Amino acid sequence: MTASQPRGSVCLVGGGPGDPDLMTVRARQRLADADVVVVDRLAPTDGLAGLAPRAELVDVGKTPGHHAVPQEQINQILVAHALAGRRVVRLKGGDPYVLGRGGEEVEACRAAGVTVEVVPGVTSAFSVPAAAGIPVTHRGLARSVTVLTGHDPLDPDRLEALVRLGGTLVVLMGVTRLAGLADGLLAAGMDPATPVAAVERGWSPTQRTTSAHLASIARACADRGVTSPAVLVVGAVAALADDPTLCDAPAVLLEVATLARPSG
Ligand SMILES: C[S@@+](CC[C@H](N)C(=O)[O-])C[C@H]1O[C@@H](n2cnc3c(N)ncnc32)[C@H](O)[C@@H]1O
């Protein structure tokens, strides 16, 4: 049993990829004790009222291209509630420290003299591929994994470095700029036949995987209307995706399904 959260403090809680079952025990304890819960768009909100029965819920959710509440203001909300003596839970999707701006929120709390704690969460970077049957590393296929944001374009030097590194690339926030990213990786020397999978809405009833080669993934995703939130997996392991929708897909996708599955 962990000590309870002190009054007048902030706890950044990683809520996992969306399914409440994937929240940790400590996350649930912090929610149960919370006076205020400040929630993100991709945080698990199903059943939140029951998990945090005494708490005021503050929604600061952002949608892609539209930041509902600017980060600076979110920081101020956390600090103001804590300085008023409340137990504040900042419920974030995935893990607070994986492309989640958790570090900035911790810094803002510390700068204001507010006690802050972090409860790690199950990151979408690894759990969403897993939900689609993709291990991000796999003996004989990938010995490393690099997680990156697709939000900002990468310069040719960084793209070449990623290609040289090998292993699996996991891209978050990559749907909007997918075509540019794929072109950049191809220009940097990545094999056009590299398997790629885009996993939308992981761990939800509407989860869907779109698989193709690097050379055709942007077209495949555009044709199927792939939208955020999605995790992109680039590399040999992407060919391991369980893809029940593959049979409805164009021939180029079927080719991916025939890529050899490793035996060990
Ligand atoms: C701002 S990042 C936050 C990542 C988060 N901190 C984590 O560790 O998972 C948001 C991105 O995570 C990915 N993501 C989060 N949850 C997802 C889910 N359930 N299914 C697919 N992608 C998800 C998407 O790429 C989305 O654009």
Side-chain angles (χ1 to χ4, degrees), residues 17-18 41-42 93-96 98-100 122-125 128 171-174 199-203 228-231:
R41 182 177 73 99
L42 292 178
D95 184 277
V98 179
L99 298 174
V122 174
T123 180
S124 66
V128 170
V171 186
L172 305 188
M173 297 173 275
V199 187
E200 297 169 88
R201 302 176 295 277
W203 295 98
S228 178
V231 171

Side-chain angles (χ1 to χ4, degrees), residues 13 26 33 53 84-85 90 107 116 120 176 192 198 204 240-241 258 261:
V13 169
R26 193 173 300 188
D33 290 345
R90 171 68 170 122
E107 281 172 3
V116 60
T176 310
S204 79
L240 302 179
T258 65
R261 282 175 181 258

Side-chain angles (χ1 to χ4, degrees), residues 133-201:
I134 303 173
V136 291
T137 64
H138 190 89
R139 182 177 282 272
L141 286 186
R143 295 166 64 93
S144 67
V145 55
T146 304
V147 179
L148 62 146
T149 171
H151 189 260
D152 308 309
L154 295 172
D155 64 41
D157 286 348
R158 291 195 61 201
L159 287 163
E160 278 170 26
L162 286 171
V163 174
R164 269 201 311 277
L165 188 61
T168 304
L169 299 182
V170 171
V171 186
L172 305 188
M173 297 173 275
V175 173
T176 310
R177 293 183 184 273
L178 173 56
L181 176 68
D183 287 348
L185 290 169
L186 290 167
M190 189 175 276
D191 183 348
T194 303
V196 182
V199 187
E200 297 169 88
R201 302 176 295 277

Side-chain angles (χ1 to χ4, degrees), residues 30-231:
R30 293 297 179 256
L31 285 169
D33 290 345
D35 300 311
V36 181
V37 180
V38 181
V39 198
D40 261 355
R41 182 177 73 99
L42 292 178
T45 48
D46 278 2
L48 186 54
L51 290 171
R54 296 184 307 102
E56 173 192 347
L57 302 185
V58 180
D59 183 357
V60 292
K62 302 167 191 165
T63 50
H66 175 72
H67 286 216
V69 179
Q71 185 64 49
E72 182 58 31
Q73 205 177 321
I74 294 174
N75 297 349
Q76 285 166 6
I77 290 169
L78 298 177
V79 166
H81 280 296
L83 290 179
R86 304 193 179 103
R87 292 188 179 110
V88 183
V89 165
R90 171 68 170 122
L91 182 61
K92 301 174 80 72
D95 184 277
Y97 279 172
V98 179
L99 298 174
R101 306 192 73 169
E104 293 165 57
E105 293 175 4
V106 166
E107 281 172 3
C109 290
R110 288 192 181 137
V114 168
T115 302
V116 60
E117 175 196 16
V118 176
V119 175
V122 174
T123 180
S124 66
F126 299 158
S127 65
V128 170
I134 303 173
V136 291
T137 64
H138 190 89
R139 182 177 282 272
L141 286 186
R143 295 166 64 93
S144 67
V145 55
T146 304
V147 179
L148 62 146
T149 171
H151 189 260
D152 308 309
L154 295 172
D155 64 41
D157 286 348
R158 291 195 61 201
L159 287 163
E160 278 170 26
L162 286 171
V163 174
R164 269 201 311 277
L165 188 61
T168 304
L169 299 182
V170 171
V171 186
L172 305 188
M173 297 173 275
V175 173
T176 310
R177 293 183 184 273
L178 173 56
L181 176 68
D183 287 348
L185 290 169
L186 290 167
M190 189 175 276
D191 183 348
T194 303
V196 182
V199 187
E200 297 169 88
R201 302 176 295 277
W203 295 98
S204 79
T206 62
Q207 177 178 314
R208 179 175 73 158
T209 305
T210 298
S211 300
H213 294 132
L214 180 62
S216 52
I217 187 67
R219 199 191 67 220
C221 286
D223 286 352
R224 299 183 85 195
V226 170
T227 55
S228 178
V231 171

